[in-house]
Amino acid sequence: MTIEIDGINKSFGQFQALRDIDLAIPDGQLTALLGPSGSGKTTLLRSIAGLENPDRGRILFSGEDVTGLHVRERRVGFVFQHYALFRHMTVSENVAFGLKVMPRRERPSKREIRRRVRELLEMVQLDHLAGRYPAQLSGGQKQRIALARAMAKRPEILLLDEPFGALDAKVRKELRRWLRSLHDELHFTSVFVTHDQEEALELSDQVVVMRQGRVEQVDSPLALYSQPDSRFVFNFLGQVNALSGAISGGVLRQGEAWVRLPESCDDDDAELYLRPHEVRLTQEPSRDAHLPFRIEAINVIGAEVRVELRPDGWESEELWEVGITHSAFNARQPRRGDRCYAVPDVGHLFCDHLSEPKTLSWYESAG
Amino acid sequence: MADTDQSVRPRRAGVPVSRRVLPGFGLSLGVTLFFISLVLLLPISGLVIHTAGMGWEQFWFVVTDPRVVASFKVTVLAALAASLFNCVFGLLMAWVLVRYEFPGKRLLDAIMDLPFALPTAVAGITLATLFAESGWYGRVLAEFGIEVAYTPLGIVVAMAFTSVPFVVRTVQPVLEELPPEDEEAAVSLGASDWTVFRRILFPVLWPALVTGGGLSFARSLGEYGAVVFIAGNSPYVSEVISLMIFVRLEEYDFAAASAIASVVMGVSLLLLLAINVWQGRYLKRLHGGRG
């Protein structure tokens, strides 16, 4: 089932949570709504579910206008951030709830309900906990029960509000993979809200980045990471190394730092954004870039060594961060306070007078 | 490592290491226990000892006196009716105070405690005036042939009035804590409003409602000030038990008075105990068997 959102607006008093949202969510895919807190992503999700009534605009499920439909009639599965399990009911009573409250004519027989509940509990691999109360479950188990409950009426749309937000890192990762495989198996249309960019990139087919009640960019995870439309999206999706300065004669310059741009650019104020993996560390400046640094800190984090760099002779709002491999680290043995240079491989240039960023590559000119 | 060990060690031998972070446990617990003994345990045991002195046969004689039994019945039935009424009305009040925003909400919230703050005699006189045949309410009710003042119904009104805050104040915090997501989850699963109330809200409110109702009942059993003014106090019809205690005292029959009082006390204590035990079990279930 596709979801179309057509010019949705929503205000809470003075605060405008959603501004003219237009969005198409494709059938059978996992879509992430990603944004910082207060960006309107949860309000959008709740509007799709019918838990929030938009002030203006329409919501369509497979072309059918559902804006006026009550939550009860929208037939969506909704999973809440804090699970919202009914604590006075056992796990199986929780899962059966949606089936038991159906009008008598449509309600399956008791035996059928029991069979379906067992099936759902098997699906979430928790059939051995059927008689437990929610308070006796771990966070990850609760979330899976909440999911089973939301799926009990076989909705074609599943909406999840920060589904893994309250779980610890390991369980979160496990559940993410499990949800992904469940989704691939059952092919419902699902939308989930998250503020964790890693989660959005790993789990979804399509990411909707939101900011201050607007949609900033809609793209596949890969496109989003490699070609962000705006500085905001770039900043939001992971660590950024930035050099802001002025372009003159094809060279971006600030203080002692300069980078020769491989493509011709008009003179303008601009910012060059680089991901940690798009930069190399060297002892000497290269022909195209002179970016002096002092090493501020060296953090060994799992598979790579992260080096924090303080600009030397120029300014940057935040420290730069470059990842190097353990073998490179062992070969060179850099130490705190050492002077070194960064050499960009790929970068993203945001000029003040251009709306679109330019992706630059230094590979050819270096080779 | 060795030198840090030594820096920890020097401590005068024989001084026990206090493991509590919060200071003043001994003192505050001592004061609390002393106060409880002075104010509660001592008078209660005095009452029991006083009663025990009179012997079982005489106790039974005093307690089963027809007028006393009639007053027991009136009191228990009226208290039951009053606390049931309070459960319904108190739940409604708590619901309104928690779930809706309206001007004057804080004032209404403050007024809820008025029955506790008002001297019960004042409440009694006011109610008696209002519900008397010539009073504002009494006049209207008289047209429907309902008499409140100087009947057992008046006792119910007085009891309900003085004890309704018990229900409101026990239910209110539970309602406030109830996450709205629970209701939203139920509705998104297709439950009707009535089903949501019956299956989701009520089971969670139930323990608080029983506690509030129980407290209201126990308080009503012993209500004196508010009741005597409106009850009419005719023997066998509208005498409450606390009035009977007073009557016996006026006759200088202290033993009989304390015998009756000990029965009321016993019933109240048993009731509170039963509620606590039942509630403990119920809540244990909600909290996953961990109490």
Side-chain angles (χ1 to χ4, degrees):
Chain A
M1 208 176 245
T2 61
I3 305 171
E4 278 161 76
I5 290 151
D6 181 13
I8 289 285
N9 275 275
K10 174 75 187 173
S11 305
F12 298 104
Q14 291 293 308
F15 176 71
Q16 190 159 11
L18 298 175
R19 302 160 194 256
D20 300 315
I21 303 269
D22 290 305
L23 191 63
I25 291 165
D27 178 40
Q29 294 205 350
L30 254 167
T31 299
L33 302 179
L34 175 67
S37 57
S39 59
K41 52 197 192 310
T42 294
T43 309
L44 181 59
L45 191 81
R46 289 171 59 86
S47 301
I48 297 172
L51 291 168
E52 219 72 77
N53 289 318
D55 303 331
R56 252 185 304 132
R58 296 188 309 157
I59 293 169
L60 303 110
F61 289 173
S62 292
E64 192 192 331
D65 191 342
V66 296
T67 321
L69 272 190
H70 193 267
V71 210
R72 227 172 263 143
E73 277 100 43
R74 287 206 195 176
R75 300 182 163 277
V76 296
F78 199 99
V79 177
F80 291 83
Q81 184 180 3
H82 298 290
Y83 328 122
L85 293 178
F86 308 134
R87 45 196 168 137
H88 57 285
M89 295 185 196
T90 61
V91 163
S92 55
E93 282 166 348
N94 261 286
V95 175
F97 186 82
L99 300 170
K100 279 187 184 162
V101 298
M102 285 166 92
R104 195 161 303 227
R105 279 170 286 115
E106 301 160 33
R107 194 192 308 161
S109 69
K110 275 196 176 156
R111 186 197 252 164
E112 170 67 11
I113 290 180
R114 239 179 319 191
R115 196 186 61 76
R116 286 265 285 276
V117 168
R118 204 177 319 122
E119 210 175 85
L120 284 157
L121 287 178
E122 272 165 24
M123 176 190 86
V124 297
Q125 299 153 10
L126 290 176
D127 39 327
H128 57 288
L129 299 179
R132 296 267 187 97
Y133 283 92
Q136 295 166 300
L137 306 180
S138 71
Q141 290 170 335
K142 279 186 202 168
Q143 191 57 285
R144 282 195 270 173
I145 296 302
L147 202 70
R149 185 178 69 180
M151 306 271 293
K153 295 174 92 172
R154 297 187 182 139
E156 287 178 69
I157 292 174
L158 185 67
L159 306 172
L160 307 105
D161 185 9
E162 304 240 358
F164 314 118
L167 302 170
D168 59 67
K170 192 158 176 282
V171 179
R172 195 187 297 192
K173 200 155 194 174
E174 225 175 80
L175 267 185
R176 250 189 247 161
R177 293 202 180 125
W178 174 81
L179 180 65
R180 179 80 244 182
S181 63
L182 191 74
H183 181 268
D184 290 345
E185 202 178 306
L186 299 173
H187 283 295
F188 38 83
T189 303
S190 33
V191 183
F192 73 100
V193 161
T194 180
H195 61 257
D196 180 347
Q197 28 95 10
E198 197 187 312
E199 192 166 289
L201 296 179
E202 184 182 322
L203 193 54
S204 58
D205 302 306
Q206 173 185 283
V207 181
V208 178
V209 183
M210 293 186 67
R211 178 200 187 187
Q212 291 175 358
R214 288 180 206 280
V215 172
E216 196 79 7
Q217 188 173 354
V218 183
D219 240 319
S220 73
L222 188 65
L224 205 63
Y225 190 75
S226 55
Q227 281 152 352
D229 281 350
S230 64
R231 296 169 203 225
F232 170 77
V233 173
F234 206 107
N235 263 311
F236 196 66
L237 290 175
Q239 168 70 30
V240 174
N241 301 320
L243 164 66
S244 54
I247 303 175
S248 97
V251 177
L252 176 64
R253 193 182 293 273
Q254 191 227 116
E256 281 182 30
W258 55 263
V259 173
R260 198 187 312 276
L261 304 173
E263 289 173 38
S264 64
C265 283
D266 294 337
D267 290 2
D268 196 355
D269 285 339
E271 265 184 314
L272 181 66
Y273 280 13
L274 306 133
R275 294 280 184 215
H277 67 269
E278 293 166 341
V279 183
R280 278 175 292 129
L281 275 189
T282 57
Q283 309 286 67
E284 298 297 325
S286 77
R287 190 157 51 88
D288 294 323
H290 180 265
L291 295 166
F293 289 98
R294 295 254 174 226
I295 294 180
E296 178 83 6
I298 297 167
N299 307 316
V300 181
I301 297 167
E304 68 166 16
V305 179
R306 220 169 277 170
V307 184
E308 284 176 33
L309 304 165
R310 179 172 296 285
D312 192 12
W314 57 287
E315 311 249 307
S316 150
E317 249 176 65
E318 282 176 48
L319 294 182
W320 279 42
E321 212 178 275
V322 175
I324 58 174
T325 60
H326 279 272
S327 53
F329 175 72
N330 289 333
R332 199 178 313 149
Q333 298 279 343
R335 269 188 297 172
R336 263 195 77 184
D338 282 0
R339 192 180 164 97
C340 62
Y341 295 88
V343 175
D345 287 332
V346 181
H348 309 265
L349 188 71
F350 291 87
C351 295
D352 279 7
H353 290 92
L354 290 176
S355 55
E356 298 275 300
K358 269 185 192 170
T359 300
L360 307 173
S361 168
W362 279 269
Y363 281 122
E364 304 93 63
S365 56
Chain B
M1 277 316 279
D3 45 19
T4 50
D5 269 353
Q6 250 155 27
S7 72
V8 171
R9 199 159 295 160
R11 187 177 253 289
R12 270 172 300 153
V15 177
V17 184
S18 170
R19 288 186 186 281
R20 267 175 227 284
V21 178
L22 220 58
F25 172 71
L27 184 67
S28 54
L29 184 72
V31 169
T32 308
L33 287 181
F34 177 71
F35 188 76
I36 286 181
S37 314
L38 206 66
V39 173
L40 285 175
L41 291 182
L42 213 62
I44 288 176
S45 34
L47 186 67
V48 171
I49 290 165
H50 211 120
T51 318
M54 68 194 296
W56 177 250
E57 231 161 88
Q58 209 194 339
F59 175 83
W60 191 247
F61 177 75
V62 167
V63 168
T64 54
D65 175 76
R67 196 172 152 196
V68 173
V69 171
S71 74
F72 265 131
K73 272 188 194 155
V74 169
T75 311
V76 169
L77 287 178
L80 212 58
S83 46
L84 279 180
F85 174 82
N86 281 347
C87 280
V88 176
F89 183 67
L91 177 61
L92 191 80
M93 288 300 300
W95 179 265
V96 169
L97 285 178
V98 172
R99 283 309 168 98
Y100 304 111
E101 288 302 324
F102 52 90
K105 175 172 164 168
R106 291 179 65 107
L107 186 69
L108 191 67
D109 198 27
I111 286 177
M112 277 326 297
D113 285 328
L114 200 63
F116 279 171
L118 208 63
T120 49
V122 175
I125 292 169
T126 314
L127 289 174
T129 320
L130 283 175
F131 283 99
E133 237 170 294
S134 55
W136 291 352
Y137 300 166
R139 217 179 309 160
V140 180
L141 289 171
E143 281 176 34
F144 298 97
I146 303 171
E147 271 183 78
V148 176
Y150 316 124
T151 65
L153 197 57
I155 302 177
V156 176
V157 170
M159 284 176 170
F161 175 79
T162 50
S163 62
V164 71
F166 278 117
V167 178
V168 179
R169 293 300 184 218
T170 45
V171 171
Q172 204 177 357
V174 181
L175 257 182
E176 266 163 8
E177 261 181 45
L178 212 67
E181 286 87 25
D182 281 18
E183 287 158 69
E184 287 176 349
V187 174
S188 78
L189 289 165
S192 66
D193 290 340
W194 170 240
T195 310
V196 171
F197 178 77
R198 198 169 50 91
R199 304 275 302 271
I200 306 299
L201 293 178
F202 197 68
V204 179
L205 292 179
W206 180 231
L209 205 57
V210 170
T211 307
L215 287 173
S216 160
F217 182 76
R219 161 82 192 249
S220 297
L221 276 188
E223 184 54 49
Y224 177 74
V227 171
V228 286
F229 291 99
I230 197 174
N233 308 325
S234 51
Y236 299 101
V237 179
S238 58
E239 270 183 333
V240 288
I241 195 69
S242 42
L243 181 72
M244 281 313 300
I245 299 172
F246 187 68
V247 168
R248 290 288 177 264
L249 277 178
E250 276 195 319
E251 294 165 355
Y252 298 105
D253 192 350
F254 294 119
S258 49
I260 299 170
S262 64
V263 173
V264 177
M265 191 186 73
V267 171
S268 298
L269 282 181
L270 271 180
L271 189 76
L272 289 183
L273 189 74
I275 288 174
N276 266 315
V277 168
W278 171 82
Q279 199 178 37
R281 286 198 187 152
Y282 190 89
L283 290 180
K284 210 170 178 177
R285 219 172 76 185
L286 293 193
H287 297 141
R290 265 172 262 136

